[in-house]
Amino acid sequence: MVAPTLNTMQRRCGFTGFVTLCCLLLLECLKVAGNVPFAQEVSDLHWHRAVATWYGSPEGDGSDGGACGYGSLVDVKPFRARVGAVSSMLFKKGEGCGACYKVRCLDKSICSRRAVTIIITDESPGNYGANIGRPHFDLSGAAFGHMAVHGRNTELRNRGELPVVYRRTPCKYRGKNIAFHVNSGSNDNWLSLLVEYEDGDGDIGSMHIREANSNEWIEMNHLWGANWCVNRGPLKGPFSVKLTTLSTGRTLSARDVIPRNWSPKATYTSRLNFL
């Protein structure tokens, strides 16, 4: 997937706010009615069928960047060798970015009983999942090989495509707190953020920022992948950031996490996480 241009992102940022606001109001009404659990676990006890392939070098880390926008993060721990691309039904137009899954292959003659845990960082090419009628996981060579019994990693990779089962699992970034990367092109009138190292659900349903000396939470718009933006200004830091997860609606607020003298391309780490 090719990243959008800066001008395209700024236009998209301004147009999606109304739809997002309507969805948030509906969610709040459902919560009040008691129909939406607020702090349930994201874990799925049931395995679902899918198909898996692999890409990159046989023992490689997989994606270089990817459609979620994590960039060079995918090349280092804790992402390294645990990244995966998924078909559109799990990618969810980028809102599935950051979610974690356990994936296990089924052939008992070569597959281990253990599952590999992968983090969604990319979208499968084309419309692979829709064409086969079930979700598709495109794993790094290393992650794909880890599904094999000891010593048969290469043999498993040589099969190319495998039937697998998968289930959702909480993300766990030991020793990490949620961080906010300020994307290139951000300025006092257009601010774009990428969320990193989110424990638990891993995904994002909404984001808001609050300026210095203000009580108003300003809604951010989903831009692309795991990137969010606000097109309003002039904006004055420091900024507090509030996240609400997509899957279970859990909320976290990081106070003054982005300083007054913030800079584009800088990353600011909070003192909080969901787990």
Side-chain angles (χ1 to χ4, degrees), residues 4-37:
T5 65
L6 180 59
N7 287 338
T8 300
M9 289 191 292
Q10 290 174 334
R11 290 196 301 271
R12 196 179 298 173
C13 180
F15 293 157
T16 57
F18 177 74
V19 175
T20 304
L21 178 60
C22 291
C23 292
L24 287 172
L25 289 173
L26 177 60
L27 180 60
E28 289 302 318
C29 291
L30 289 173
K31 284 180 183 177
V32 171
N35 293 327
V36 180

Side-chain angles (χ1 to χ4, degrees), residues 262-273:
W262 60 271
S263 300
K265 301 183 181 180
T267 300
Y268 302 101
T269 303
S270 73
R271 299 180 179 180
L272 305 169
N273 217 322

Side-chain angles (χ1 to χ4, degrees), residues 13-115:
C13 180
F15 293 157
T16 57
F18 177 74
V19 175
T20 304
L21 178 60
C22 291
C23 292
L24 287 172
L25 289 173
L26 177 60
L27 180 60
E28 289 302 318
C29 291
L30 289 173
K31 284 180 183 177
V32 171
N35 293 327
V36 180
F38 178 68
Q40 67 182 21
E41 270 293 337
V42 75
S43 298
D44 187 352
L45 299 179
H46 303 287
W47 292 95
H48 310 278
R49 292 188 175 273
V51 65
T53 54
W54 65 279
Y55 65 111
S57 59
E59 295 292 344
D61 300 330
S63 177
D64 180 13
C68 288
Y70 293 119
S72 60
L73 274 183
V74 302
D75 299 322
V76 296
K77 292 182 178 180
F79 284 88
R80 186 175 183 181
R82 298 175 60 201
V83 303
V86 290
S87 51
S88 58
M89 59 190 75
L90 295 179
F91 189 71
K92 303 174 184 176
K93 297 182 179 180
E95 291 188 339
C97 289
C100 296
Y101 292 88
K102 288 186 178 295
V103 182
R104 176 169 57 86
C105 61
L106 299 173
D107 187 341
K108 295 180 181 178
S109 68
I110 192 171
C111 294
S112 168
R113 293 183 178 181
R114 70 178 181 272

Side-chain angles (χ1 to χ4, degrees), residues 107 109-110 144 152 154-162:
D107 187 341
S109 68
I110 192 171
F144 195 92
R152 302 184 69 180
T154 299
E155 184 180 347
L156 187 69
R157 281 191 291 265
N158 286 342
R159 296 197 177 186
E161 180 178 305
L162 288 173

Side-chain angles (χ1 to χ4, degrees), residues 7-271:
N7 287 338
T8 300
M9 289 191 292
Q10 290 174 334
R11 290 196 301 271
R12 196 179 298 173
C13 180
F15 293 157
T16 57
F18 177 74
V19 175
T20 304
L21 178 60
C22 291
C23 292
L24 287 172
L25 289 173
L26 177 60
L27 180 60
E28 289 302 318
C29 291
L30 289 173
K31 284 180 183 177
V32 171
N35 293 327
V36 180
F38 178 68
Q40 67 182 21
E41 270 293 337
V42 75
S43 298
D44 187 352
L45 299 179
H46 303 287
W47 292 95
H48 310 278
R49 292 188 175 273
V51 65
T53 54
W54 65 279
Y55 65 111
S57 59
E59 295 292 344
D61 300 330
S63 177
D64 180 13
C68 288
Y70 293 119
S72 60
L73 274 183
V74 302
D75 299 322
V76 296
K77 292 182 178 180
F79 284 88
R80 186 175 183 181
R82 298 175 60 201
V83 303
V86 290
S87 51
S88 58
M89 59 190 75
L90 295 179
F91 189 71
K92 303 174 184 176
K93 297 182 179 180
E95 291 188 339
C97 289
C100 296
Y101 292 88
K102 288 186 178 295
V103 182
R104 176 169 57 86
C105 61
L106 299 173
D107 187 341
K108 295 180 181 178
S109 68
I110 192 171
C111 294
S112 168
R113 293 183 178 181
R114 70 178 181 272
V116 295
T117 301
I118 61 105
I119 306 162
I120 302 307
T121 62
D122 204 352
E123 183 175 20
S124 300
N127 202 21
Y128 197 101
N131 293 336
I132 61 176
R134 62 181 57 176
H136 171 235
F137 287 83
D138 203 12
L139 307 180
S140 68
F144 195 92
H146 286 332
M147 293 190 293
V149 296
H150 181 71
R152 302 184 69 180
N153 308 52
T154 299
E155 184 180 347
L156 187 69
R157 281 191 291 265
N158 286 342
R159 296 197 177 186
E161 180 178 305
L162 288 173
V164 296
V165 290
Y166 73 96
R167 68 183 185 189
R168 188 75 177 274
T169 190
C171 298
K172 297 178 182 178
Y173 298 106
R174 290 186 176 89
K176 296 283 188 181
N177 286 329
I178 290 177
F180 301 93
H181 178 78
V182 180
N183 289 320
S184 176
S186 292
N187 54 59
D188 291 341
N189 297 289
W190 185 81
L191 178 65
S192 175
L193 302 178
L194 171 74
V195 181
E196 302 172 355
Y197 307 125
E198 180 195 339
D199 278 344
D201 293 5
D203 55 22
I204 301 169
S206 68
M207 281 182 63
H208 294 74
I209 65 166
R210 188 175 64 194
E211 296 179 85
N213 303 317
S214 173
N215 294 321
E216 178 189 5
W217 285 104
I218 303 170
E219 180 187 3
M220 302 189 77
N221 299 311
H222 182 226
L223 191 54
W224 65 278
N227 297 277
W228 293 71
C229 71
V230 60
N231 192 3
R232 168 176 168 172
L235 298 166
K236 296 181 180 180
F239 301 115
S240 300
V241 183
K242 179 168 65 176
L243 303 179
T244 302
T245 67
L246 177 68
S247 298
T248 62
R250 299 177 69 188
T251 298
L252 176 150
S253 299
R255 183 176 179 179
D256 296 341
V257 64
I258 300 176
R260 179 181 57 81
N261 57 340
W262 60 271
S263 300
K265 301 183 181 180
T267 300
Y268 302 101
T269 303
S270 73
R271 299 180 179 180

